Amino acid sequence: MKDYVGVVLVDGKNQIYLIKENDINDIGKDRWNLPGGSVDEGEGILEAAKREVLEETGYLTEIRSLLGCYKASKGGRSWFYLVLEARVIVAQEKPTDPDVKEGRWFSREDFLNLENSEIVHPDMKLVYDVAVTGRGLPAETIKLINYDE
């Protein structure tokens, strides 16, 4: 079972950055989604989130908090999906992930007014609210524990 991360990427005005992409699990289907992707073997959750956001948006970020944890399934497969909050540190470069078709910032109002059919899952609005109201678990609680070391 592979694990995945999604990132609520917000700026100082509480705008949220969303993407449309061709994803491996074929869930997006031309709907807006959080930047994110798979956690590689031996990679920490925070590192995976930062890497995925950089690849899909071009932004260097600071992960601030854990917003949600979901057990997802499709086609007989299941995985954990962890949703994190990140803030932009700097726009480093252009996105490098060829599967990202579009990405843009949404104001709070524009995002919350999107129809549920336009986003991958309605809980995106829930975790956004948790992020902008500061109710997530601090990033210090998110760790890679290797019991072999």
Side-chain angles (χ1 to χ4, degrees):
M1 174 172 62
K2 199 159 187 107
D3 299 321
Y4 292 83
V5 293
V7 178
V8 175
L9 180 60
V10 290
D11 67 8
K13 297 184 255 180
N14 286 334
Q15 295 183 111
I16 182 171
Y17 193 90
L18 300 176
I19 62 169
K20 288 185 179 180
E21 66 180 325
N22 298 320
D23 63 278
I24 192 168
N25 293 305
D26 199 29
I27 294 171
K29 296 186 182 183
D30 291 323
R31 295 181 289 174
W32 292 107
N33 199 3
L34 302 173
S38 62
V39 179
D40 294 339
E41 185 68 33
E43 184 177 41
I45 296 164
L46 298 175
E47 291 75 22
K50 289 178 190 177
R51 175 184 52 76
E52 286 288 346
V53 169
L54 180 60
E55 290 172 2
E56 294 183 348
T57 71
Y59 291 112
L60 287 174
T61 58
E62 173 189 24
I63 305 297
R64 296 268 180 97
S65 64
L66 173 65
L67 305 173
C69 179
Y70 298 85
K71 178 77 182 256
S73 65
K74 184 177 180 184
R77 297 179 24 245
S78 65
W79 59 91
F80 281 107
Y81 181 67
L82 302 171
V83 182
L84 308 163
E85 171 198 1
R87 299 288 173 150
V88 174
I89 296 173
V90 67
Q92 179 74 7
E93 54 192 62
K94 292 187 180 207
T96 59
D97 188 330
D99 290 327
V100 174
K101 298 185 289 187
E102 186 178 354
R104 65 171 270 231
W105 289 100
F106 287 82
S107 70
R108 178 185 180 99
E109 181 180 349
D110 289 345
F111 171 62
L112 294 176
N113 285 327
L114 288 173
E115 297 292 328
N116 286 343
S117 62
E118 296 178 278
I119 58 177
V120 168
H121 196 278
D123 271 16
M124 289 169 59
K125 294 178 181 179
L126 169 68
V127 293
Y128 170 78
D129 184 64
V130 172
V132 299
T133 57
R135 295 181 289 136
L137 289 171
E140 295 79 23
T141 64
I142 307 165
K143 299 179 181 183
L144 171 64
I145 299 173
N146 184 342
Y147 287 109
D148 290 329
E149 292 180 354

